[in-house]
């Protein structure tokens, strides 16, 4: 039942954002709110568990990409830079703004992930330099630039004032870091 609650909450978030109520969640599940509270103390705890799962999924996916020997370093870097969780649809611009506004502790987990989880990216860049796939660059500087770009893309103020979705922005960031802006690199 716990997994069913999480899956149903994820579907609600994808349809309505984070403003769903426990009554709506219970109705979607075909149960009472009491059943929900047997598994989660509150909506806040439910959202916390969901964010923890997203963070864990991103970390696991990054490691799987890094260790995948069938991919080139360029492919690894592109996949790692454009990695978003599978279950939550990040095309809704309000989602990040609502997370930051209504669940600030959970937003801090996302910020921490964006700030700290760059070891696999640095290792991919280093391996790409070693194999000659990437030109010799100062890895710490490039990673810092990537961090800054990621923070900027995940910024709720940016997301609510752009016609680009987070998914599209992340793809564009990955493309620019891999291919640059020059039309000659296509």
């Amino acid at each position: 039942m716990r997994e069913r609650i999480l899956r149903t909450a994820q579907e609600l978030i994808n349809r309505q954002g984070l403003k769903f109520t426990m009554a709506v969640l219970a109705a979607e599940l075909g149960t009472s709110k009491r059943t929900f509270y047997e598994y989660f103390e509150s909506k806040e705890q439910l959202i916390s568990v969901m964010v923890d799962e997203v963070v864990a999924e991103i970390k696991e996916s990054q490691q799987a990409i890094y260790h995948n020997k069938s991919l080139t370093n360029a492919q690894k870097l592109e996949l790692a830079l454009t990695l978003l969780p599978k279950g939550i649809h990040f095309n809704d611009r309000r989602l990040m703004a609502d997370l930051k506004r209504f669940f600030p502790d959970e937003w801090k987990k996302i910020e921490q992930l964006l700030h700290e989880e760059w070891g696999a990216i640095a290792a991919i860049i280093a391996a790409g330099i070693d194999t000659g796939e990437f030109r010799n660059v100062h890895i710490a500087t490039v990673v810092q630039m990537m961090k800054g770009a990621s923070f900027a893309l995940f910024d709720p103020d940016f997301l609510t004032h752009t016609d680009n979705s987070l998914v599209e922005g992340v793809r564009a960031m990955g493309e620019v870091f891999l291919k640059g802006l020059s039309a000659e690199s296509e």
Side-chain angles (χ1 to χ4, degrees):
M1 182 60 153
R2 182 180 187 278
E3 292 306 313
R4 191 167 153 237
I5 292 170
L6 289 166
R7 189 174 56 250
T8 303
Q10 181 179 332
E11 292 166 5
L12 274 173
I13 290 169
N14 288 337
R15 286 195 321 258
Q16 299 179 9
L18 293 170
K19 294 182 181 180
F20 69 90
T21 65
M22 293 301 93
V24 170
L25 178 59
E28 290 274 327
L29 289 165
T31 64
S32 67
K33 287 195 292 186
R34 180 183 301 185
T35 301
F36 167 82
Y37 290 115
E38 290 175 19
Y39 295 91
F40 299 96
E41 293 175 12
S42 63
K43 179 179 175 181
E44 288 73 19
Q45 184 191 28
L46 171 69
I47 299 299
S48 178
V49 168
M50 293 178 78
V51 169
D52 289 346
E53 287 184 359
V54 162
V55 168
E57 177 189 339
I58 293 291
K59 289 178 179 181
E60 288 171 22
S61 295
Q62 276 187 342
Q63 288 303 310
I65 291 166
Y66 174 69
H67 293 293
N68 187 335
K69 299 204 183 306
S70 69
L71 298 172
T72 65
N73 290 304
Q75 291 168 326
K76 288 178 183 183
L77 187 58
E78 181 178 12
L79 288 171
L81 283 176
T82 59
L83 190 59
L84 289 170
K86 291 178 179 49
I88 302 291
H89 299 158
F90 284 101
N91 285 325
D92 183 349
R93 290 171 179 83
R94 297 169 302 164
L95 183 58
M96 292 305 207
D98 286 351
L99 186 64
K100 186 175 183 179
R101 181 175 175 201
F102 299 115
F103 301 94
D105 290 340
E106 303 318 309
W107 177 253
K108 287 178 187 171
K109 293 176 187 178
I110 300 296
E111 285 184 328
Q112 183 176 358
L113 176 70
L114 290 172
H115 183 68
E116 293 177 353
E117 291 303 315
W118 291 89
I121 299 285
I124 292 168
I125 294 169
I129 292 169
D130 288 345
T131 63
E133 279 182 81
F134 303 142
R135 55 192 183 90
N136 193 6
V137 295
H138 188 259
I139 296 170
T141 300
V142 172
V143 168
Q144 186 67 17
M145 291 166 52
M146 290 175 174
K147 277 185 193 182
S150 293
F151 269 106
L153 290 175
F154 276 80
D155 179 5
D157 291 331
F158 169 74
L159 291 171
T160 55
H161 294 98
T162 184
D163 61 349
N164 222 8
S165 72
L166 177 61
V167 173
E168 294 164 332
V170 167
R171 283 190 191 129
M173 176 191 67
E175 186 175 308
V176 168
F177 273 112
L178 282 166
K179 299 177 183 173
L181 290 175
S182 173
E184 293 175 11
S185 63
E186 288 183 5

